[in-house]
Amino acid sequence: TQLLEQSPQFLSIQEGENLTVYCNSSSVFSSLQWYRQEPGEGPVLLVTVVTGGEVKKLKRLTFQFGDARKDSSLHITAAQPGDTGLYLCAGSRYSSASKIIFGSGTRLSIRP
Amino acid sequence: SQTIHQWPATLVQPVGSPLSLECTVEGTSNPNLYWYRQAAGRGLQLLFYSVGIGQISSEVPQNLSASRPQDRQFILSSKKLLLSDSGFYLCAWSVLGSEAFFGQGTRLTVV
């Protein structure tokens, strides 16, 4: 059973389009992180959201933490081929603060 | 600044052989340390994590084990590898279980 479910699993869109990736759980998280991973490399941290309802922007990427701290979303505006990669959400729950679990991943492909 | 070293980058091992992957962190004290395994194009499965020397939490019962002999050293081992142990292994460190910072990973192929 995956504690953090991401959707969609795969997404292929045209350059310039917008997209949203979701990260959902039935558990409450103290914080959630989003990472991007290139093939053959370790994931790289993009952002951390801590407060319920928090919205953070990183250029064309917008991250939101759900009010109940159980879900998060990543929205990309005007996607570019350089956005291609595997996007992962991750977090730790209050009940086991040191244990960082990862979502199932969303593989994003942006066609020129 | 903090750095994490993981080696080797690639490894091909026969079924039944032993395994030892090492990870070391520099520039921080008493980090949380993690071992993950990743199937191709998928999420990361947490295998072990450690909050201090000699303290290991196992998440997935299998023929792998982990040890933390020093504050900034984390070792993943197996006595006898299985074909199903093939995958991409990632070591990471964190402070207080929030953001994780990863090594470059080890691609293990068991043949």
Side-chain angles (χ1 to χ4, degrees):
Chain A
T1 302
Q2 192 77 28
L3 205 58
L4 280 171
E5 293 286 349
Q6 285 185 240
S7 61
Q9 186 177 347
F10 302 99
L11 187 57
S12 179
I13 63 172
Q14 203 72 31
E15 181 178 1
E17 294 182 352
N18 302 332
L19 67 107
T20 302
V21 176
Y22 300 93
C23 175
N24 295 297
S25 177
S26 57
S27 299
V28 176
F29 284 79
S30 56
S31 67
L32 275 179
Q33 291 80 45
W34 284 92
Y35 298 79
R36 182 172 159 225
Q37 185 181 20
E38 299 287 346
E41 298 181 4
V44 175
L45 179 70
L46 295 174
V47 77
T48 296
V49 285
V50 179
T51 306
E54 182 178 5
V55 176
K56 281 191 173 180
K57 292 192 175 183
L58 187 65
K59 297 183 180 179
R60 294 176 293 101
L61 278 61
T62 302
F63 304 86
Q64 185 164 6
F65 200 10
D67 291 339
R69 307 164 73 105
K70 293 182 178 181
D71 55 85
S72 181
S73 64
L74 158 61
H75 182 80
I76 301 179
T77 303
Q80 299 178 1
D83 296 326
T84 293
L86 180 67
Y87 288 82
L88 298 156
C89 64
S92 55
R93 293 173 294 168
Y94 288 108
S95 57
S96 46
S98 296
K99 179 177 165 181
I100 302 175
I101 57 172
F102 276 75
S104 43
T106 295
R107 179 156 297 283
L108 177 62
S109 175
I110 310 299
R111 305 186 301 272
Chain B
S1 63
Q2 300 89 357
T3 57
I4 179 169
H5 303 281
Q6 183 182 343
W7 67 91
T10 59
L11 192 59
V12 179
Q13 291 285 98
V15 168
S17 64
L19 172 73
S20 181
L21 301 180
E22 189 166 340
C23 172
T24 60
V25 181
E26 296 177 359
T28 185
S29 296
N30 198 30
N32 291 346
L33 296 173
Y34 305 82
W35 279 112
Y36 293 90
R37 181 169 61 199
Q38 185 178 31
R42 302 307 309 273
L44 277 61
Q45 179 188 35
L46 179 61
L47 300 176
F48 303 94
Y49 68 99
S50 170
V51 300
I53 297 174
Q55 300 178 61
I56 308 294
S57 295
S58 175
E59 291 300 302
V60 182
Q62 54 197 340
N63 69 323
L64 298 173
S65 63
S67 62
R68 186 171 177 173
Q70 300 180 47
D71 181 44
R72 290 170 286 179
Q73 183 184 29
F74 206 23
I75 298 171
L76 182 69
S77 304
S78 174
K79 293 182 179 178
K80 289 185 178 181
L81 284 169
L82 306 172
L83 287 174
S84 58
D85 291 323
S86 294
F88 190 47
Y89 288 83
L90 288 156
C91 179
W93 70 272
S94 173
V95 175
L96 301 177
S98 56
E99 300 148 345
F101 299 92
F102 286 85
Q104 284 296 99
T106 296
R107 173 76 56 196
L108 172 66
T109 304
V110 182
V111 296

